[in-house]
Amino acid sequence: PKLTMRDTSVAFKVTSSNVTLDGFTVQSGTPGVKSNGIGVLVSRTEPGSFVSISNVIITNITFIDIGSSTQDLYGAISVRGYNALHSNPQVRESVPVLFPGADPFVNIVIDRCRFTDSGNNAIDFWSVKDGRISNCVIDGVTGNWNRGNGIRGVDLQDTTISSCDIENISQVGIKILGTGTRNVALNNNIIKNSSGVSGVGIMCYYGVNKITIRDNEIEDCTNGIIITGACTHIDLEQNLTFNIKSSPLSIGGLSNNITVHKNEFVSTLGPSVVTVLQSWNVKIDKNHILNHDFEISRGSDPKRGILIGQTNGATITNNIIDATYPDTDEKSNPIYVWRVFPQNP
């Protein structure tokens, strides 16, 4: 069955527990024109409600041209487990609030859904515990920093995002943020063609804690993986980046306790492959840098395989760097370390 959105703000609204949506198509009323409405909204009955929603399954649904380019959280699927939003000058996005005594949504599952030409984030997943997003295909998302992402997860707990194919994204393939985020796994995702000026495959920022990023492939993007904004206890293992225009891996912004292990960085076009700035306790071990294709020219940045700057407690061991670095530039090296930071966080 198909549902066509014409002047519709929400196609399906879920405000109770134990609900399954399975096997249909939601599309805009005019092909190629965005719906300006939400496909599936999961929210509280009232913003101030203390009743949490649990056990919602959204599966086998196709979304075509769904989302508004002018309103935040107006994409194909919008899960809003918070009570309120407030602005924070430290980040470029709203921050969710749970009132004292309120709990996040629990066991929200999005599986085997397909998103084509979304006009906003394909999936917004906010204030959820024990959530799962898996086996989804996202092809085409347009929008600005807040609204041009494949998946945006905020304040997630014990949640997994896995086996998703995400491509042609204007901003970030998978973006995870929020000081309430902990114990999140990003595994076996393929992200391609996030090639805009701000394009990123995977991004974690604004205080996320205990994230595992494993066995993902990021190809043909401006940037590969970015960890910034006081993130802590992040493990990156066995990921592959290929043909990244700028930075395959960037760690910074007072992040700490980061492990980078057995990743492969292939065909990097930017000046540095792995960059660590103003961070603490970063371990870079058994990674492979292959085909660093950046060419130095007059006025360009130096060429570096691994750049460590203003970082304390960094260890760099057992890495293989299969690339050449010019002898004529003293700042171009396979591994370049400079300065320390005044103090640990």
Side-chain angles (χ1 to χ4, degrees):
K2 292 184 178 180
L3 187 150
T4 300
M5 297 184 67
R6 293 187 177 91
D7 300 320
T8 305
S9 59
V10 180
F12 289 91
K13 185 174 183 180
V14 178
T15 58
S16 61
S17 298
N18 305 312
V19 173
T20 298
L21 301 177
D22 185 1
F24 51 85
T25 296
V26 181
Q27 62 186 16
S28 173
T30 303
V33 177
K34 303 301 180 276
S35 68
N36 289 322
I38 302 170
V40 176
L41 172 62
V42 183
S43 68
R44 299 174 188 268
T45 53
E46 298 291 338
S49 172
F50 287 83
V51 178
S52 176
I53 294 174
S54 61
N55 304 321
V56 174
I57 299 174
I58 303 167
T59 185
N60 293 311
I61 301 177
T62 297
F63 300 87
I64 303 172
D65 290 322
I66 302 301
S68 168
S69 61
T70 60
Q71 301 181 77
D72 200 12
L73 289 155
Y74 262 67
I77 297 179
S78 186
V79 179
R80 306 177 183 179
Y82 51 80
N83 291 114
L85 294 175
H86 72 79
S87 60
N88 187 321
Q90 296 179 343
V91 294
R92 297 161 61 183
E93 306 183 53
S94 297
V95 175
V97 176
L98 276 175
F99 295 157
D103 293 320
F105 290 176
V106 178
N107 191 31
I108 311 298
V109 175
I110 301 171
D111 183 57
R112 301 186 186 281
C113 292
R114 178 177 289 271
F115 307 80
T116 302
D117 295 333
S118 300
N120 201 303
N121 303 323
I123 301 173
D124 268 301
F125 214 55
W126 291 51
S127 301
V128 175
K129 179 178 172 60
D130 296 324
R132 176 166 59 89
I133 301 172
S134 57
N135 304 300
C136 292
V137 176
I138 300 173
D139 187 356
V141 177
T142 57
N144 64 13
W145 181 250
N146 294 340
R147 303 165 195 155
N149 309 292
I151 299 170
R152 179 173 60 167
V154 186
D155 281 6
L156 304 179
Q157 303 174 38
D158 306 315
T159 291
T160 299
I161 301 173
S162 65
S163 302
C164 294
D165 289 349
I166 303 171
E167 61 182 311
N168 300 317
I169 309 299
S170 64
Q171 301 296 331
V172 183
I174 300 175
K175 180 193 291 186
I176 306 296
L177 69 148
T179 56
T181 295
R182 60 182 182 271
N183 298 326
V184 172
L186 310 179
N187 299 333
N188 297 295
N189 301 288
I190 298 175
I191 302 170
K192 298 180 179 179
N193 298 320
S194 181
S195 54
V197 174
S198 302
V200 184
I202 294 174
M203 183 174 188
C204 297
Y205 80 113
Y206 186 46
V208 303
N209 182 27
K210 295 184 180 179
I211 307 294
T212 300
I213 303 172
R214 181 179 291 123
D215 294 321
N216 300 282
E217 296 183 17
I218 301 173
E219 302 179 18
D220 300 319
C221 296
T222 303
N223 298 285
I225 300 171
I226 294 179
I227 310 295
T228 190
C231 295
T232 184
H233 294 98
I234 312 294
D235 292 335
L236 300 99
E237 186 171 359
Q238 298 180 182
N239 301 285
L240 168 67
T241 70
F242 177 78
N243 198 33
I244 302 300
K245 294 179 182 178
S246 183
S247 176
L249 174 59
S250 179
I251 300 167
L254 309 183
S255 295
N256 60 89
N257 294 293
I258 314 295
T259 299
V260 183
H261 183 63
K262 290 187 176 180
N263 300 280
E264 190 162 13
F265 306 101
V266 180
S267 298
T268 298
L269 304 178
S272 296
V273 180
V274 176
T275 301
V276 182
L277 299 175
Q278 296 188 350
S279 297
W280 290 264
N281 300 333
V282 179
K283 182 178 181 181
I284 302 174
D285 179 59
K286 295 183 179 178
N287 301 283
H288 187 193
I289 295 174
L290 177 64
N291 297 339
H292 188 183
D293 298 325
F294 178 74
E295 295 290 339
I296 288 182
S297 59
R298 179 175 294 180
S300 73
D301 289 337
K303 180 179 180 180
R304 293 147 173 171
I306 300 173
L307 169 62
I308 308 293
Q310 292 186 304
T311 292
N312 298 344
T315 60
I316 307 167
T317 55
N318 304 307
N319 299 282
I320 299 173
I321 301 177
D322 287 332
T324 58
Y325 296 85
D327 296 333
T328 55
D329 181 7
E330 63 180 12
K331 294 184 178 180
S332 293
N333 288 277
I335 301 173
Y336 190 88
V337 181
W338 63 288
R339 297 185 180 178
V340 296
F341 204 62
Q343 65 184 66
N344 288 341

